[in-house]
Amino acid sequence: MRLRALLDTDALGLRLLGGEDELDRAVRGVMTTDLKDPSRYLSGGELVLTGLAWRHDAEDSEPFVRILASAGVAALAAGEAELGDIPDDLVVACARHRLPLFAVNESVAFATITEHVVRQVSGERAGDLAAVVERHRRMMTSGPAGGGPDVVLDLLGTDLDLRAWVLSPAGRPIAGSKLAGGALPAGTRAELAAAHLTAVRSGRRGPHRVTVGPAMYSLFPVRSAGRAPGALRDVRETVLSDWLLAVEADAGDWPEERLDLLQGVTQLIAVERDRRDAARTVRRRLAQEVLELVQTGAAPAEIAARLRVAAPVLLPGLGTAPHWQVVVARVEWDGGEVEGGPVAQALLEEILVDPLSPGPELSDRIAVAHTGAEAVALVPLPAVSSEEEGEGSEPGLHADTLLTAVREPLSAGLDDDGRLTIGVSAAVHSAEGLRGALEEARHARRVAAARPGRVCAAGHQELASHVLLLPFVPDDVRRAFTARLLDPLREYDGRHRAELIPTLEAFLDCDGSWTRCAARLHLHVNTLRYRVGRIEQLTSRDLSRLEDKLDFFLALRMS
């Protein structure tokens, strides 16, 4: 029920003293208290009744109201039986914290208000639930998604007072109810997405409950509308592409009717997801056609003609031919029984969009194809002017920032048996450059594959470095080289906890500067000299020689 309904009920004897703009707040319960700090008994949404016994002087009002506002109560109703008129300091404190304040006539018992609120809230919850179920059924038969995810989430907000969001597997915001008050913070989204993917990979049934900061969330998987739970041969086929519904509530004590309702909502959202996937068919086909032309060595004129067809679809209204970048990705699962190409395709369509941007349509300008275990994205970039090119900021995607916002959730989804590696080419200006860009992106991906970690990326800038050689060194040579240089240090560290390996890494990173390295490690320079001397003694190398420094650097990169 709403606060406005309480004010309109004459039998309750309520008089509004402040907060007229907040009368549409929902009341989910009622509590009577005269404690100075009742926070432990509040869960949010209550109408708090008080006889003001906690107030001894004017300074008591501010902390009391601040506690109520922080707990998210709907309103405060103060009785006039003890003090007569409600004190001005309480009115001012409530106004400062935007907490609606009512005066309760001395002729009305708190029990009367409590009984009325409990009766109304219980009855309206049952009625609201039935109404939402009926709307759910109606929307399921009225067309695709009944207006989209936002409409469905608004129903949850207005009828059940549930704050809810739809997130991509990497935590990108797809939709949110008006009650939700905007997108979740990026850190919260990443934690929710990671918790969801971890739960799915572990085989736990939804909803998955997780606490982030002070709030509890229940996470519901959004599966394809045509796929029943458990129908997949292997969860890894879609774990990195399915959306999730995050509801700010603890679904652990929900009745079956409400859980069924939320499952129905996920089915509505899944219709929207399938509609978006169907709309991507044209873009995927364009990418596939261009990729085949490039790989088969077609004439540049033929590739250029195909790009002229693709550009208006991918960048409507651009007006001039764009530049292009190529991104290559591979998802590899241990055992190799799950095909990685489609998974990598779905991931590229996700992560090539700005993770801070909301909405399901932003990836409509990304064309991704897949062949076997590899996915290839053709990313159009608006053409830049000569002045912009001369400013030194290279346009387009950068490998070092591409995965920053999505690394945590994707690592959770890959768990301990999957790996994602990505390579990014430089921007090219014409069809003639696409073949070179594709090979460049593939080489960069091999550089990324040589690095540790579940989620790695490398860019074309690194292909001019010695690290380009590392992915092509045979495994047995790599192992022998690193063992010869680093195993004596690891063994010594294991026996003496001397931290020789971290010291070596810091010394090389500081270009051999004793003072900078000692400051970074918080050591005296003499202690640092002792450690470096021990490294040289154990390895028979001299860290003042460029050749030996380079050998150590390569060994650390390959280990």
Side-chain angles (χ1 to χ4, degrees):
M1 69 178 301
R2 307 290 168 177
L3 289 174
R4 193 179 305 280
L6 290 175
L7 192 62
D8 293 339
T9 306
D10 294 337
L12 299 182
L14 296 177
R15 188 172 80 260
L16 183 65
L17 300 181
E20 185 175 358
D21 294 339
E22 306 290 334
L23 291 180
D24 285 327
R25 289 188 183 188
V27 180
R28 293 193 284 269
V30 63
M31 175 192 175
T32 300
T33 184
D34 275 315
L35 296 173
K36 296 186 84 170
D37 182 2
S39 58
R40 72 184 70 178
Y41 305 108
L42 298 170
S43 58
E46 296 93 349
L47 172 66
V48 175
L49 305 174
T50 180
L52 299 177
W54 49 267
R55 181 186 179 279
H56 299 294
D57 54 50
E59 295 180 354
D60 292 337
S61 292
E62 169 63 25
F64 181 78
V65 173
R66 184 171 63 249
I67 289 170
L68 298 188
S70 299
V73 305
L76 174 65
E80 296 178 323
E82 291 291 328
L83 301 180
D85 292 338
I86 305 303
D88 290 340
D89 49 270
L90 182 59
V91 176
V92 171
C94 286
R96 182 180 299 116
H97 292 279
R98 300 182 62 86
L99 182 67
L101 175 62
F102 297 99
V104 182
N105 189 280
E106 61 180 351
S107 63
V108 178
F110 283 176
T112 301
I113 300 174
T114 300
E115 180 182 354
H116 177 84
V117 171
V118 170
R119 185 171 62 250
Q120 292 295 317
V121 169
S122 299
E124 287 186 8
R125 280 179 177 167
D128 284 347
L129 188 57
V132 174
V133 170
E134 179 56 33
R135 293 188 195 188
H136 158 62
R137 293 191 184 117
R138 190 165 61 248
M139 284 194 297
M140 285 292 286
T141 59
S142 66
D150 295 288
V151 173
V152 181
L153 299 187
D154 284 343
L155 284 179
L156 292 179
T158 57
D159 289 13
L160 294 182
D161 297 319
L162 290 176
R163 287 159 46 92
W165 300 262
V166 178
L167 304 178
S168 78
R172 187 169 62 86
I174 303 296
S177 64
K178 293 185 178 68
L179 181 67
L184 289 165
T188 300
R189 297 198 311 270
E191 285 193 55
L192 293 177
H196 169 73
L197 290 174
T198 299
V200 172
R201 286 303 312 274
S202 67
R204 302 205 312 267
R205 294 185 59 188
H208 314 301
R209 296 151 62 206
V210 59
T211 300
V212 179
M216 168 71 80
Y217 297 87
S218 296
L219 310 178
F220 296 80
V222 178
R223 297 184 174 89
S224 172
R227 187 178 83 241
L232 276 179
R233 179 176 59 84
D234 194 310
V235 70
R236 292 175 294 182
E237 294 177 9
T238 61
V239 66
L240 296 175
S241 59
D242 282 344
W243 290 352
L244 67 136
L245 173 65
V247 181
E248 189 178 353
D250 184 355
D253 57 355
W254 281 5
E256 287 297 324
E257 293 84 357
R258 181 166 289 201
L259 289 173
D260 289 344
L261 171 67
L262 266 294
Q263 294 296 345
V265 169
T266 65
Q267 293 172 19
L268 285 173
I269 296 169
V271 173
E272 171 65 19
R273 173 62 196 270
D274 290 350
R275 184 203 64 78
R276 187 190 74 163
D277 283 346
R280 283 179 171 174
T281 302
V282 173
R283 295 186 299 280
R284 287 174 171 173
R285 186 182 303 122
L286 285 172
Q288 197 73 44
E289 291 174 354
V290 173
L291 178 61
E292 289 175 359
L293 290 173
V294 171
Q295 292 188 127
T296 57
E302 187 177 358
I303 299 174
R306 180 57 56 189
L307 288 177
R308 282 195 294 273
V309 173
V313 175
L314 298 174
L315 283 178
L318 183 65
T320 59
H323 297 175
W324 301 91
Q325 263 181 300
V326 176
V327 182
V328 171
R330 286 178 73 97
V331 171
E332 297 169 295
W333 303 101
D334 292 351
E337 67 273 11
V338 177
E339 186 180 359
V343 180
Q345 181 182 43
L347 275 182
L348 276 187
E349 289 171 335
E350 165 64 28
I351 65 179
L352 292 179
V353 179
D354 181 356
L356 300 180
S357 301
E361 305 298 335
L362 292 167
S363 56
D364 287 357
R365 298 181 178 184
I366 307 292
V368 186
H370 79 84
T371 56
E374 180 183 77
V376 179
L378 189 64
V379 183
L381 306 172
V384 296
S385 65
S386 57
E387 290 87 0
E388 291 173 316
E389 285 184 335
E391 290 175 356
S393 59
E394 186 176 353
L397 303 168
H398 297 270
D400 54 350
T401 59
L402 189 60
L403 297 174
T404 301
V406 299
R407 190 179 304 277
E408 178 186 356
L410 292 186
S411 297
L414 292 163
D415 198 16
D416 59 357
D417 61 347
R419 194 151 192 261
L420 167 66
T421 52
I422 291 178
V424 182
S425 79
V428 295
H429 305 240
S430 64
E432 289 87 344
L434 276 182
R435 185 175 181 84
L438 176 60
E439 291 306 313
E440 191 174 57
R442 283 174 170 163
H443 281 306
R445 193 207 63 78
R446 293 189 190 102
V447 171
R451 296 172 175 167
R454 290 286 165 193
V455 180
C456 298
H460 64 93
Q461 303 93 336
E462 300 175 63
L463 299 186
S465 167
H466 60 274
V467 296
L468 174 60
L469 302 175
L470 300 185
F472 309 103
V473 177
D475 287 344
D476 54 346
V477 176
R478 292 157 64 97
R479 285 192 293 269
F481 180 73
T482 57
R484 187 165 57 251
L485 278 177
L486 301 182
D487 280 2
L489 306 183
R490 293 192 180 106
E491 292 170 4
Y492 191 87
D493 281 349
R495 292 196 306 270
H496 302 285
R497 298 182 180 179
E499 299 188 358
L500 296 185
I501 292 287
T503 300
L504 175 62
E505 292 174 332
F507 187 73
L508 295 175
D509 195 42
C510 292
D511 298 323
S513 169
W514 296 99
T515 53
R516 282 195 290 128
C517 184
R520 174 181 294 190
L521 296 174
H522 306 290
L523 297 175
H524 192 278
V525 172
N526 289 340
T527 304
L528 176 61
R529 291 184 184 276
Y530 172 80
R531 289 188 184 181
V532 170
R534 179 64 67 184
I535 291 170
E536 294 175 332
Q537 180 185 22
L538 291 170
T539 60
S540 300
R541 297 296 183 111
D542 183 355
L543 277 168
S544 66
R545 297 179 68 246
L546 176 61
E547 295 88 339
D548 287 343
K549 286 180 182 177
L550 181 58
D551 282 347
F552 276 122
F553 180 81
L554 291 173
L556 289 168
R557 291 298 295 265
M558 288 193 292
S559 63

